[in-house]
Amino acid sequence: RRKADDRDEATALTIPVHSESRFEPFPLTDLQQAYWLGRTDAFALGGIASRAYLEIEVPAIDVPRMEQAWNAVVRRHDMLRVVVGTDGRQRILPDVPEYQIAVHDLRNMSTVEQAERLEAVHQEMLRDLRDAGEWPLFDLEVSLLPNGIGRLHMVQDVLNADGGSAAIIFRELGELYRNPGKELPALDLTF
């Protein structure tokens, strides 16, 4: 065992930032390449996108405010604006249109009809295999339920956000939804 006073001096990790080539195509990681190839029919069990699906109930949901918060997160995180070309290289889009959240009004349906429609939304979102070369690689929809509850349905492709990244994205979405117009600290690094 080493004593605390025998520790090596901390070595700073320097990561070069190439902002001038930020929007130029660049290679997929090995894991991204596996996900991308798995989307094709080139394999017996292919034709499937690796995606995460999440539902969150939001009391007194304000859909325009949620859209504003989500669009701020998209502008903030380059990988939410990524597409993958047919050559297997990814590219961050400098600008994308404002994302609009689809809304399903289930407030006047019976409990059984609501459950059926919620399951249909879930299944439709999971079946929607988006072209990796077209933005966006995510989908957000809201189902309006009685008593002011909104169910936020989210599908996130893992080509552009792994679990750790998704946790950051969802945390920031919540923060910006609760505090519209809040300035988050600048990001020094992109993918």
Side-chain angles (χ1 to χ4, degrees), residues 74-180:
V74 169
R75 286 188 298 275
R76 179 173 167 76
H77 293 285
D78 286 355
M79 288 305 290
L80 291 176
R81 298 187 317 277
V82 76
V83 293
V84 181
T86 56
D87 62 353
R89 294 173 57 82
Q90 57 192 323
R91 182 172 54 91
I92 296 165
L93 302 174
D95 296 301
V96 293
E98 290 287 301
Y99 186 80
Q100 294 186 347
I101 298 174
V103 177
H104 311 279
D105 191 346
L106 314 183
R107 292 175 291 189
N108 294 320
M109 294 182 175
S110 71
T111 306
V112 171
E113 290 171 321
Q114 285 175 23
E116 289 172 353
R117 185 63 188 128
L118 288 170
E119 181 60 22
V121 169
H122 178 157
Q123 293 303 320
E124 289 165 12
M125 290 180 76
L126 287 178
R127 279 192 299 267
D128 183 17
L129 179 58
R130 293 170 182 253
D131 181 342
E134 295 180 18
W135 184 84
L137 293 179
F138 57 78
D139 192 12
L140 279 74
E141 299 186 14
V142 168
S143 293
L144 300 177
L145 302 170
N147 302 319
I149 300 293
R151 184 166 299 173
L152 178 64
H153 310 264
M154 302 180 77
V155 172
Q156 177 63 57
D157 199 304
V158 297
L159 273 172
N160 64 346
D162 62 11
S165 299
I168 292 168
I169 290 166
F170 297 137
R171 183 179 67 242
E172 290 181 358
L173 175 62
E175 182 66 26
L176 293 171
Y177 177 76
R178 286 187 299 277
N179 302 294

Side-chain angles (χ1 to χ4, degrees), residues 34-47:
Y35 290 145
W36 180 67
L37 290 171
R39 299 168 72 92
T40 70
D41 292 328
F43 303 97
L45 298 176

Side-chain angles (χ1 to χ4, degrees), residues 22-74:
R22 179 175 168 200
F23 302 116
E24 297 298 319
F26 58 101
L28 295 168
T29 66
D30 290 344
L31 187 55
Q32 285 178 305
Q33 188 173 40
Y35 290 145
W36 180 67
L37 290 171
R39 299 168 72 92
T40 70
D41 292 328
F43 303 97
L45 298 176
I48 305 281
S50 296
R51 299 179 296 163
Y53 178 83
L54 176 69
E55 290 183 358
I56 303 169
E57 290 204 353
V58 182
I61 192 164
D62 181 333
V63 177
R65 188 170 66 179
M66 184 65 72
E67 280 181 353
Q68 178 184 9
W70 181 250
N71 283 300
V73 170
V74 169

